[in-house]
Amino acid sequence: MISFNPPRGMRDFYPEDMLLRNVIFDAWRSAAQNYGFAQYDACVVESLDLLKRKAGEEITDQIYAFKDKSNRDLALRPEMTPTLARMVAAKQGALTFPIKWFTIAQCFRYERTTRGRKREHYQLNLDIIGEPSLLAEVEIIRTAIKSMEIMGLKQNDIIIDFSSRTLLSDILTNLGINEEDHAAAFVALDKRGKISDEALKIILSEYGLTDKTVDQIFNSLEIKSLKDVENILPKKTESLQELLQFIDLLKIYEIDNCVNFNISVIRGLAYYTGIVFEAFDAERTLRAIFGGGRYDNLLSSIGGKPATAVGLGFGDVVIGELLNMKQDINIPDSIGGTAVGYMQQEQQTHAIKIANKLRARGTNVDLALSAEKAKKFFSRCNKLGFEEAVYIGPDDVDSNEIRIKDLKTREERTVQA
Ligand code: HAM
């Protein structure tokens, strides 16, 4: 017997599941367009080489990889960013920078399935490539917030933690850690809390760090504010000034209230180089809603010309959970529209004409495919959640009017046929 369930961690979307998904996708699309992002798309299957990096990232261990019949090493993309970099590199000379692009992409990761984490999810990606100004970070974050506002959430429903890898780099340099080890140290430090500090010490000692230095790094991650940072670093570094400027911009955009400096935000992907951020629900009960940051080396690392970039990925799973938890958010429970039914086969032609007239006027109409008794028709209408119904009996066939019943108020109105 074949199981009727989808493979573990994968989802089916029945029509009722699409209602929530469409709320999310529609909000993503309109926010991205509202903020001037152009849509792109790509194939789900990527070459494994492009996706694999060597920094000990979790994501590279989670890749669904396979060989095709010609022995090519391929994979289902776990994220969109390497593909975006490949697409930009392929046309780098012809594109007008800065690029502002968005996509809604299905991604696959062989993860341990927990609340908020599946083996397949959709991700809104917003990326700006070729713009060094911090305005790029802020525009991207503001766009993500805008999409949540369109969904019906408020700014105080979320909290966005941010930090800076450049700043953490300055702190690591100050502790005597070689710059070439920083990227790997970030990936390791991101595992803090997920693995024991002892296990983490072992990983970090492989970069030649002594227990004392590791303790110093751990202490650095206890920093609570930018004031604390100023006290640790010998001078006001560029990275610190950059963060202060970032906060000023957040204020201009009036989103500084939902944003919070948190040095322990590092992010698990190796390619980030600057400001990094991660959004959570305000109660911090769910997994991350979205995350991103600046990545300056990805294009050159895959063979493109160097280009600075910043972007984020915003998954559909956690935001769906959050929307479901909020009582005051209105998620449609049906597709709505108008049902057209008829009592006998003799009225079918008339019903077809009425349905098509209403459709031509822009109404969404479901036409009954066979004659039904009134009771059955109206009970079906209730189950499927139509807003209005037209039921045609023998007396209606010669009429120039259409009787439309509002299924909530039970009131009837008449329009010209
Ligand atoms: P990420 O943090 O790995 O970043 O994923 C971004 C978001 O995708 C997460 O915050 C979460 O909403 C969602 N997500 C990730 N994995 C899963 C999963 N297994 N199940 C459900 N949702 C998930 C990236 O992927 C970067 N490529 C984002 C980016 C774009 N950075 C720059 N541009």
Side-chain angles (χ1 to χ4, degrees):
M1 275 288 279
I2 288 178
S3 163
F4 290 151
N5 296 323
R8 191 177 171 78
M10 308 285 172
R11 294 169 297 170
D12 293 326
F13 290 86
Y14 284 86
E16 60 269 28
D17 305 316
M18 290 304 291
L19 299 168
L20 174 62
R21 183 169 126 179
N22 283 339
V23 166
I24 297 170
F25 283 27
D26 290 350
W28 279 346
R29 202 172 294 112
S30 44
Q33 284 166 349
N34 190 220
Y35 277 71
F37 288 81
Q39 191 162 12
Y40 72 101
D41 203 358
C43 45
V44 178
V45 172
E46 240 329 329
S47 67
L48 183 58
D49 263 357
L50 180 77
L51 302 172
K52 259 190 151 170
R53 294 179 293 267
K54 298 179 200 75
E57 294 173 327
E58 216 171 26
I59 200 169
T60 42
D61 296 331
Q62 296 170 337
I63 296 178
Y64 276 91
F66 58 96
K67 279 190 191 291
D68 73 3
K69 289 180 181 169
S70 304
N71 231 17
R72 290 185 193 92
D73 283 308
L74 300 176
L76 300 179
R77 63 173 172 232
E79 57 162 340
M80 196 61 165
T81 316
T83 301
L84 171 65
R86 175 179 64 69
M87 287 170 65
V88 171
K91 292 200 172 185
Q92 213 161 351
L95 294 167
T96 308
F97 291 90
I99 282 166
K100 284 177 74 178
W101 284 3
F102 84 98
T103 190
I104 298 173
Q106 195 175 19
C107 300
F108 297 83
R109 299 181 189 184
Y110 193 79
E111 287 216 46
R112 206 167 62 82
T113 52
T114 53
R115 187 167 182 213
R117 287 294 175 267
K118 310 247 174 245
R119 290 185 176 166
E120 145 282 315
H121 69 283
Y122 286 89
Q123 227 186 56
L124 166 71
N125 276 246
L126 298 165
D127 288 271
I128 299 181
I129 299 184
E131 178 51 61
S133 154
L134 290 176
L135 199 48
E137 273 88 342
V138 182
E139 279 271 308
I140 281 200
I141 293 173
R142 185 66 189 93
T143 309
I145 296 176
K146 172 77 183 184
S147 76
M148 297 173 81
E149 288 168 345
I150 297 172
M151 293 172 207
L153 291 162
K154 294 181 205 68
Q155 283 189 24
N156 60 12
D157 289 322
I158 58 158
I159 184 80
I160 304 168
D161 287 336
F162 72 91
S163 183
S164 154
R165 283 202 178 175
T166 339
L167 182 79
L168 198 53
S169 224
D170 289 339
I171 294 173
L172 296 185
T173 304
N174 197 41
L175 293 171
I177 298 161
N178 286 337
E179 211 170 303
E180 57 266 28
D181 291 332
H182 289 185
F186 292 147
V187 172
L189 287 173
D190 183 64
K191 298 195 168 73
R192 191 144 190 244
K194 295 171 201 154
I195 60 173
S196 72
D197 278 0
E198 296 319 307
L200 193 51
K201 272 187 189 170
I202 295 170
I203 300 175
L204 289 169
S205 69
E206 283 162 15
Y207 299 113
L209 305 186
T210 61
D211 278 3
K212 185 168 166 247
T213 316
V214 174
D215 285 339
Q216 282 175 310
I217 297 174
F218 285 177
N219 285 339
S220 310
L221 294 180
E222 301 305 319
I223 288 170
K224 290 279 174 285
S225 67
L226 288 176
K227 269 260 154 316
D228 292 348
V229 177
E230 277 182 53
N231 296 334
I232 286 191
L233 292 174
K235 61 177 181 13
K236 207 169 185 178
T237 58
E238 235 176 74
S239 58
L240 187 55
Q241 285 170 30
E242 189 183 69
L243 278 184
L244 295 170
Q245 196 196 337
F246 177 64
I247 293 169
D248 285 343
L249 282 170
L250 294 170
K251 285 187 183 144
I252 298 175
Y253 277 72
E254 297 178 6
I255 50 171
D256 50 312
N257 284 337
C258 59
V259 178
N260 167 53
F261 171 69
N262 181 346
I263 188 90
S264 64
V265 174
I266 297 171
R267 310 254 314 126
L269 298 162
Y271 49 67
Y272 293 114
T273 51
I275 287 179
V276 281
F277 48 85
E278 211 145 45
F280 296 90
D281 61 297
E283 278 80 40
R284 294 185 187 270
T285 51
L286 306 172
R287 300 283 299 259
I289 298 173
F290 64 76
R294 188 166 285 269
Y295 52 103
D296 280 349
N297 304 329
L298 187 60
L299 262 129
S300 52
S301 78
I302 66 159
K305 292 190 207 83
T308 184
V310 50
L312 65 75
F314 184 161
D316 65 328
V317 180
V318 178
I319 193 69
E321 285 174 2
L322 185 60
L323 293 175
N324 277 328
M325 278 161 61
K326 298 271 172 197
Q327 303 294 334
D328 51 340
I329 287 184
N330 194 12
I331 297 158
D333 52 15
S334 71
I335 56 166
T338 302
V340 173
Y342 43 98
M343 200 180 286
Q344 297 149 333
Q345 179 64 22
E346 289 74 53
Q347 292 103 47
Q348 190 183 62
T349 306
H350 186 67
I352 295 171
K353 288 188 178 156
I354 297 287
N356 286 343
K357 275 189 182 162
L358 291 173
R359 285 167 175 160
R361 292 175 202 170
T363 307
N364 297 338
V365 174
D366 176 73
L367 171 68
L369 300 172
S370 59
E372 272 166 307
K373 291 214 167 74
K375 198 171 161 203
K376 193 168 167 219
F377 170 71
F378 283 106
S379 121
R380 191 166 63 81
C381 286
N382 284 337
K383 271 196 201 134
L384 295 179
F386 293 110
E387 286 153 351
E388 295 187 316
V390 177
Y391 187 67
I392 296 161
D395 298 345
D396 296 302
V397 174
D398 296 324
S399 164
N400 291 327
E401 291 180 328
I402 311 171
R403 287 183 297 116
I404 303 177
K405 188 167 187 170
D406 183 314
L407 292 167
K408 271 218 177 74
T409 61
R410 302 262 140 207
E411 272 162 25
E412 205 166 79
R413 67 191 170 93
T414 315
V415 297
Q416 279 299 309

